[in-house]
Amino acid sequence: MSDREDQLVGEFPLIPKQERAQLKRDLLLKSGHELFILKGYEHTTAKEIAAHAGVATGTFYRYFSDKRQLLMSLLEDRIEMFMPPEPKWGVSDPETTLAGLLESHDKRLKEMGLQRLLPELVAKDAEFAQVLASGKRKIFTRILSGIKLANDKGLTWTDLDLNTVTWSLMTLAEHTPEKMKQCGIQTDYHEVAKVICRLIFPPEVIIKLRTCGTADEEENDI
Amino acid sequence: MSDREDQLVGEFPLIPKQERAQLKRDLLLKSGHELFILKGYEHTTAKEIAAHAGVATGTFYRYFSDKRQLLMSLLEDRIEMFMPPEPKWGVSDPETTLAGLLESHDKRLKEMGLQRLLPELVAKDAEFAQVLASGKRKIFTRILSGIKLANDKGLTWTDLDLNTVTWSLMTLAEHTPEKMKQCGIQTDYHEVAKVICRLIFPPEVIIKLRTCGTADEEENDI
Amino acid sequence: MSDREDQLVGEFPLIPKQERAQLKRDLLLKSGHELFILKGYEHTTAKEIAAHAGVATGTFYRYFSDKRQLLMSLLEDRIEMFMPPEPKWGVSDPETTLAGLLESHDKRLKEMGLQRLLPELVAKDAEFAQVLASGKRKIFTRILSGIKLANDKGLTWTDLDLNTVTWSLMTLAEHTPEKMKQCGIQTDYHEVAKVICRLIFPPEVIIKLRTCGTADEEENDI
Amino acid sequence: MSDREDQLVGEFPLIPKQERAQLKRDLLLKSGHELFILKGYEHTTAKEIAAHAGVATGTFYRYFSDKRQLLMSLLEDRIEMFMPPEPKWGVSDPETTLAGLLESHDKRLKEMGLQRLLPELVAKDAEFAQVLASGKRKIFTRILSGIKLANDKGLTWTDLDLNTVTWSLMTLAEHTPEKMKQCGIQTDYHEVAKVICRLIFPPEVIIKLRTCGTADEEENDI
DNA sequence: GATGAATGAGGGTTCATTCAT
DNA sequence: AATGAATGAACCCTCATTCAT
């Protein structure tokens, strides 16, 4: 808010209306986001979201028809952030690369925190589940096509189903942080990366990739 | 609670009563279970649980201090059923064995349905999350010890962290059914089993296990 | 309330449940009735009705799905009381009889007071309007048949449409009290009765009825 | 209010402004009128009235202190239109004349529609009820004086109270359209006119008026 | 003057929990 | 023990009215 105001100091006396409205909408989104993470979706009330955003209850309803719609908006903006990262294979050591991706992905997720809410909502809201599933399918397809490229070059296991491998990869990446804590072990991104790489590549391929990674000109988007 | 204590005092003068009480408690547990699955935890009311169990609203509160406690009881009884199965390695083809275990595990989960509720609750109830995590740790330990046995015999990958492998195994088993559907692919238990086995055993070990499985006397509980 | 309790004193220790529920329902009906009259339907809240009945808000919703339903119940019980009275002609002086009927009818209406609400509701609630209209039609039919009897005996005007006469009669009876005040004149039931009688009977018939009313054995229910 | 006062100061320096303001005021009155009829007074919001008039919400409050005041203004302008017509007796056939008046009166009412709202408001707003009653009294007085003229000429019933007759006449005229439908009969203006005439004039007077109506030079405003 | 975003009191309704019977 | 009516705090949402722009 003050950013934008500062930005305009000495230039325009007023912030355009639309922008101010957008600002309030964003405040509410942020507020909802924070409270959903803090207390869970069901335990957050519209009144609280408004109060925490510093606006009146009624203002909430100017921008969102209800709590659910706020959440939907939250997700439409950010759904891709909930998804596993898209590593590039064949660039130096794939395990190290992947470990870095996992770590930064998890950090982003932690900042957002919303992924803790997703299952709660999927269970209760069919429409929401669809939105989420369609996002997942998009990511899935992208990862799968990356793995297929590696497969075409004969780099992957030949006896595993690529769909299943892709799904495993996504699942492991998605649950890395919370789940490992639940089992009482420390999250070691590099070990997870090694496991995930083992799902895709035979050990000798990984060694090859590790040694001649940069020599290999081709980058494979996965 | 005090019921059971009474039960142990003086043989069985009150057992019929106790039995009836236990019956009611079970009816309520069953009713709560069904409704939680059907409508979600937050959207199920105590009145409904009582009505669906065929008892009065007030009776609910004789057996459970509140809705949350009913859920806790539900989980204490059944938490192990939410956990991944414990395969026995070295018994015939490990992939086929595992595929069968995965399938039956998923069937049990589907029958119970409660796992749909878990994330909703974990997000909101720290105590509940602890109960769940402790259950998971128990399973984790059991699986890990099984893998360690295999490791002692030189059957597993030597370059992967066994904790991480165990966690991956659990994660994949746990999410097999719902998650695969979300990505738009059919659940093929045998392919998942192959992927999981690849996490544990190098391919040549699997071939060996497959051919001399029954010859290998030792059963490894995992 | 105390009536029923007294009735049972020394016989039964408790008032049957059903009866107590009915009692509460009646309390709420009474409370709603009073407040609707006092403040108008729209300006009366469910909360107020409950408070005024001495029960909690939630109790209101145990007995009525909402405010509208309470009103409907109020009317189903009493709709006939809102209707014009049913005079018996040919019994002594018809004008005096009618005047008495008008007066007692108005008293009843005043006690109930609900008729002040009717137009407000008719205007806004089609279903309600139907309920009311069907009640009116019932009364209309009864009055009309009474007038037809008088007509068969050649007692009425021969050049007036009986339907229209009946309607006029009802309309005048219904609006006697409030409307006369609005025009700044005192309500004189006997004068209204004379006017209404003039609508039905020619003057000479009225004189005849007045003199030989009791001699005329036949009573005509109208 | 002060607008008009200003208008009279110094000829017309501000009249264009005034005119625009008056225009807006009229737009709002029209809009309120339409929506009150469509949805009822309580169910029409200030925002809607403004939007439907094509102005901003705030503008509403520049011209009216609140919703109620808009309605009052609406009525002050038009209260006479809600009143029964003022027939002229002794001009040709009084029954036909009256029938025509009734019909055109009803048409005007239907166009305006506001009379559906009146009872809702009378019930809740004492001041409003007064405004309405004073309007009615005005009409009442005018009709009464007309009837008195006829009375002076010996044309009316001699045994009926003129106040009561006048009131009956107004009441019947006012309720002709809606009420007859409620009773399930068709509105036949000519029959109603005959009934109303019978209240005022003995049959022989009507015949006389009918035959020598135009011969009778005097027009009686009622 | 005009605008329409913002306000927040208040209405309708639900439901976890209690308690008289 | 069992019942289910009663409770009332708290939820969601609306809308008359204000006020900065």
Side-chain angles (χ1 to χ4, degrees):
Chain A
M1 216 206 235
S2 55
D3 299 18
R4 292 171 181 256
E5 276 167 12
D6 293 341
Q7 210 179 318
L8 295 166
V9 158
E11 299 237 326
F12 295 90
L14 341 142
I15 301 159
K17 254 175 209 168
Q18 273 203 336
E19 215 163 296
R20 284 210 300 137
Q22 192 56 48
L23 240 45
K24 268 219 165 126
R25 217 188 104 97
D26 288 347
L27 264 178
L28 282 164
L29 280 169
K30 187 165 162 279
S31 169
H33 182 194
E34 285 167 11
L35 293 175
F36 286 162
I37 289 164
L38 196 62
K39 321 176 47 180
Y41 176 75
E42 293 287 352
H43 286 4
T44 301
T45 71
K47 219 178 189 158
E48 282 172 332
I49 295 171
H52 186 239
V55 302
T57 318
T59 305
F60 178 94
Y61 290 94
R62 169 167 292 285
Y63 294 102
F64 303 97
S65 64
D66 55 19
K67 215 173 38 160
R68 195 172 157 281
Q69 211 225 46
L70 185 145
L71 180 72
M72 285 295 200
S73 304
L74 224 40
L75 290 170
E76 270 160 29
D77 288 359
R78 312 182 190 199
I79 195 143
E80 303 216 348
M81 301 187 78
F82 299 106
M83 301 300 148
E86 310 161 39
K88 307 197 170 198
W89 311 122
V91 183
S92 76
D93 178 3
E95 287 172 357
T96 307
T97 310
L98 185 54
L101 286 170
L102 284 174
E103 189 156 10
S104 65
H105 175 60
D106 283 350
K107 264 189 203 125
R108 265 182 297 146
L109 283 184
K110 244 173 257 159
E111 275 161 25
M112 284 207 295
L114 271 187
Q115 103 265 33
R116 279 180 50 206
L117 298 174
L118 299 189
E120 173 183 350
L121 296 159
V122 165
K124 264 181 316 219
D125 190 323
E127 190 195 334
F128 174 78
Q130 278 179 352
V131 168
L132 196 66
S134 100
K136 287 220 168 169
R137 264 194 300 280
K138 241 185 333 203
I139 304 291
F140 180 86
T141 307
R142 249 190 292 169
I143 295 178
L144 181 60
S145 73
I147 289 182
K148 273 186 181 151
L149 284 180
N151 185 52
D152 291 344
K153 291 191 205 145
L155 298 174
T156 63
W157 293 106
T158 52
D159 59 338
L160 297 181
D161 174 56
L162 293 188
N163 278 329
T164 307
V165 168
T166 304
W167 165 78
S168 302
L169 166 51
M170 281 179 68
T171 302
L172 294 177
E174 192 180 346
H175 294 89
T176 301
E178 1 114 40
K179 298 290 164 154
M180 288 187 81
K181 264 165 220 153
Q182 273 185 31
C183 292
I185 56 175
Q186 278 305 305
T187 302
D188 179 334
Y189 291 109
H190 199 262
E191 287 301 333
V192 176
K194 272 163 73 182
V195 163
I196 290 179
C197 282
R198 180 63 37 92
L199 282 180
I200 311 172
F201 309 113
E204 62 276 13
V205 172
I206 293 176
I207 292 164
K208 204 188 84 186
L209 287 170
R210 196 181 294 154
T211 52
C212 62
T214 46
D216 190 82
E217 243 75 300
E218 297 158 279
E219 295 200 349
N220 306 313
D221 287 335
I222 298 193
Chain B
M1 226 197 240
S2 56
D3 300 16
R4 293 176 179 253
E5 280 165 11
D6 293 343
Q7 199 178 340
L8 297 171
V9 171
E11 290 305 307
F12 55 109
L14 295 166
I15 287 178
K17 237 183 224 170
Q18 303 298 338
E19 256 164 39
R20 266 199 293 139
Q22 192 56 43
L23 209 66
K24 282 225 164 124
R25 213 186 108 96
D26 289 346
L27 270 175
L28 282 164
L29 280 168
K30 185 164 165 282
S31 169
H33 181 195
E34 286 167 9
L35 293 175
F36 287 161
I37 290 164
L38 197 60
K39 321 178 43 180
Y41 175 75
E42 294 287 351
H43 291 81
T44 301
T45 71
K47 203 177 184 176
E48 283 171 330
I49 295 171
H52 188 236
V55 303
T57 318
T59 305
F60 179 95
Y61 288 90
R62 173 159 294 282
Y63 294 101
F64 303 96
S65 66
D66 54 22
K67 212 170 51 157
R68 192 173 155 282
Q69 210 224 45
L70 184 145
L71 181 72
M72 285 296 201
S73 305
L74 222 41
L75 290 169
E76 272 159 28
D77 288 0
R78 312 186 190 197
I79 196 143
E80 303 214 350
M81 302 188 79
F82 300 107
M83 301 301 147
E86 310 160 40
K88 309 201 169 194
W89 311 121
V91 183
S92 75
D93 176 4
E95 289 172 359
T96 307
T97 308
L98 185 54
L101 287 169
L102 285 174
E103 189 156 9
S104 64
H105 176 61
D106 285 349
K107 264 192 202 121
R108 263 182 298 144
L109 284 185
K110 245 172 259 159
E111 274 162 25
M112 282 208 296
L114 270 188
Q115 103 264 34
R116 275 179 54 206
L117 298 174
L118 298 189
E120 172 182 349
L121 297 159
V122 166
K124 263 179 318 219
D125 189 324
E127 190 194 335
F128 173 77
Q130 278 177 354
V131 168
L132 196 65
S134 99
K136 285 219 170 170
R137 259 194 304 281
K138 238 181 338 197
I139 305 290
F140 180 84
T141 308
R142 250 189 290 169
I143 296 178
L144 180 61
S145 72
I147 289 182
K148 272 184 180 150
L149 284 181
N151 184 52
D152 291 345
K153 291 189 206 148
L155 297 174
T156 63
W157 294 105
T158 53
D159 59 338
L160 296 181
D161 174 58
L162 293 188
N163 277 330
T164 308
V165 167
T166 305
W167 166 80
S168 302
L169 166 52
M170 279 179 68
T171 303
L172 294 178
E174 191 180 347
H175 294 89
T176 302
E178 2 115 38
K179 299 289 163 153
M180 289 187 80
K181 263 164 220 152
Q182 272 184 32
C183 292
I185 57 176
Q186 278 305 306
T187 303
D188 179 333
Y189 291 109
H190 199 261
E191 288 301 331
V192 176
K194 272 163 72 182
V195 163
I196 289 178
C197 283
R198 178 64 37 91
L199 282 180
I200 310 171
F201 309 112
E204 63 273 16
V205 171
I206 294 176
I207 292 166
K208 203 189 86 187
L209 288 170
R210 198 181 291 153
T211 50
C212 62
T214 47
D216 190 83
E217 243 75 298
E218 296 157 280
E219 293 200 351
N220 307 312
D221 285 335
I222 298 192
Chain C
M1 217 206 238
S2 55
D3 300 23
R4 291 172 182 256
E5 276 167 12
D6 294 342
Q7 211 178 320
L8 295 167
V9 158
E11 298 238 327
F12 296 88
L14 342 142
I15 301 158
K17 254 175 211 170
Q18 274 204 336
E19 216 163 293
R20 283 212 300 139
Q22 191 56 48
L23 241 43
K24 254 193 186 151
R25 216 187 104 98
D26 288 347
L27 264 180
L28 283 165
L29 280 169
K30 187 164 163 280
S31 169
H33 181 195
E34 285 167 11
L35 293 176
F36 287 161
I37 289 164
L38 196 61
K39 321 178 45 180
Y41 175 75
E42 294 286 353
H43 288 4
T44 302
T45 71
K47 250 176 183 144
E48 283 171 331
I49 296 171
H52 187 238
V55 302
T57 319
T59 305
F60 179 93
Y61 290 95
R62 169 167 293 283
Y63 293 102
F64 303 97
S65 65
D66 54 20
K67 215 173 40 162
R68 192 172 159 283
Q69 210 225 48
L70 185 146
L71 180 72
M72 285 295 200
S73 303
L74 225 39
L75 290 169
E76 270 159 30
D77 287 359
R78 311 183 190 199
I79 196 141
E80 303 217 348
M81 302 187 79
F82 299 107
M83 301 300 150
E86 311 160 40
K88 309 199 168 194
W89 312 121
V91 183
S92 77
D93 177 4
E95 287 172 0
T96 306
T97 309
L98 185 53
L101 286 169
L102 284 174
E103 189 157 8
S104 64
H105 176 60
D106 285 349
K107 264 191 202 122
R108 263 182 297 148
L109 283 184
K110 244 174 260 161
E111 275 161 25
M112 284 208 293
L114 269 187
Q115 104 265 31
R116 276 179 54 206
L117 297 175
L118 300 189
E120 172 183 350
L121 296 160
V122 166
K124 265 182 314 223
D125 189 324
E127 190 194 336
F128 175 77
Q130 278 178 353
V131 168
L132 195 66
S134 100
K136 286 220 170 170
R137 261 194 302 282
K138 240 181 339 198
I139 304 291
F140 180 86
T141 307
R142 250 189 292 170
I143 296 180
L144 181 59
S145 73
I147 289 183
K148 272 185 180 152
L149 284 181
N151 184 53
D152 291 345
K153 292 190 205 146
L155 299 174
T156 64
W157 294 107
T158 54
D159 59 339
L160 296 182
D161 173 57
L162 294 188
N163 278 327
T164 307
V165 167
T166 305
W167 166 78
S168 302
L169 166 52
M170 280 179 68
T171 302
L172 295 177
E174 190 180 349
H175 293 89
T176 303
E178 1 114 40
K179 299 289 164 156
M180 288 186 82
K181 265 165 219 154
Q182 273 185 32
C183 292
I185 57 177
Q186 277 305 306
T187 302
D188 180 335
Y189 292 109
H190 199 260
E191 288 301 334
V192 176
K194 273 163 71 181
V195 164
I196 289 178
C197 283
R198 179 64 35 92
L199 281 180
I200 310 171
F201 309 112
E204 62 274 14
V205 171
I206 293 176
I207 292 163
K208 202 188 85 186
L209 287 170
R210 196 180 294 154
T211 51
C212 63
T214 45
D216 190 82
E217 243 75 300
E218 296 157 280
E219 294 200 352
N220 305 312
D221 286 334
I222 296 191
Chain D
M1 224 198 242
S2 56
D3 299 16
R4 293 177 180 254
E5 279 166 11
D6 292 344
Q7 200 179 338
L8 297 170
V9 172
E11 293 304 308
F12 54 111
L14 295 166
I15 288 178
K17 237 183 224 169
Q18 302 298 337
E19 256 165 38
R20 267 199 293 139
Q22 192 56 45
L23 209 66
K24 285 229 162 120
R25 214 187 107 96
D26 288 347
L27 270 175
L28 283 164
L29 279 168
K30 186 163 164 281
S31 169
H33 181 197
E34 287 167 10
L35 293 175
F36 287 161
I37 291 165
L38 198 60
K39 321 176 44 178
Y41 175 75
E42 294 288 351
H43 291 82
T44 302
T45 72
K47 201 176 185 177
E48 283 171 331
I49 295 171
H52 187 237
V55 303
T57 319
T59 305
F60 179 95
Y61 288 91
R62 175 159 292 283
Y63 294 102
F64 302 96
S65 65
D66 55 21
K67 211 169 54 157
R68 193 174 155 282
Q69 209 224 46
L70 184 146
L71 181 72
M72 285 297 200
S73 304
L74 222 41
L75 291 168
E76 271 160 27
D77 288 359
R78 312 185 189 200
I79 195 140
E80 304 214 349
M81 301 187 80
F82 300 106
M83 300 301 147
E86 310 160 40
K88 308 199 167 196
W89 311 122
V91 184
S92 76
D93 177 3
E95 288 172 357
T96 307
T97 309
L98 186 54
L101 287 169
L102 286 174
E103 189 156 10
S104 63
H105 175 62
D106 285 349
K107 265 190 202 123
R108 264 182 298 145
L109 284 185
K110 245 173 257 160
E111 276 162 23
M112 282 208 297
L114 269 187
Q115 103 264 33
R116 277 180 50 206
L117 297 175
L118 299 188
E120 173 183 348
L121 297 160
V122 166
K124 263 179 316 219
D125 189 324
E127 191 195 334
F128 173 77
Q130 278 177 354
V131 168
L132 196 66
S134 101
K136 287 221 168 167
R137 262 193 302 281
K138 237 180 341 197
I139 304 290
F140 180 84
T141 307
R142 250 189 291 167
I143 296 180
L144 180 60
S145 74
I147 289 183
K148 273 185 180 150
L149 284 181
N151 185 51
D152 291 345
K153 292 191 205 146
L155 299 175
T156 63
W157 294 106
T158 53
D159 59 340
L160 296 182
D161 172 58
L162 293 189
N163 277 329
T164 307
V165 168
T166 306
W167 166 78
S168 302
L169 166 52
M170 279 180 67
T171 302
L172 294 178
E174 191 180 349
H175 294 90
T176 302
E178 3 114 40
K179 299 289 164 155
M180 288 186 81
K181 264 163 221 153
Q182 272 186 30
C183 294
I185 57 176
Q186 277 304 306
T187 303
D188 180 333
Y189 292 108
H190 200 261
E191 288 300 333
V192 176
K194 272 163 71 180
V195 164
I196 289 179
C197 283
R198 179 64 37 93
L199 281 180
I200 310 171
F201 310 112
E204 61 275 13
V205 172
I206 292 176
I207 293 165
K208 204 188 83 187
L209 288 171
R210 196 180 294 152
T211 50
C212 62
T214 47
D216 189 83
E217 242 74 302
E218 298 159 280
E219 295 201 350
N220 306 312
D221 285 335
I222 297 190

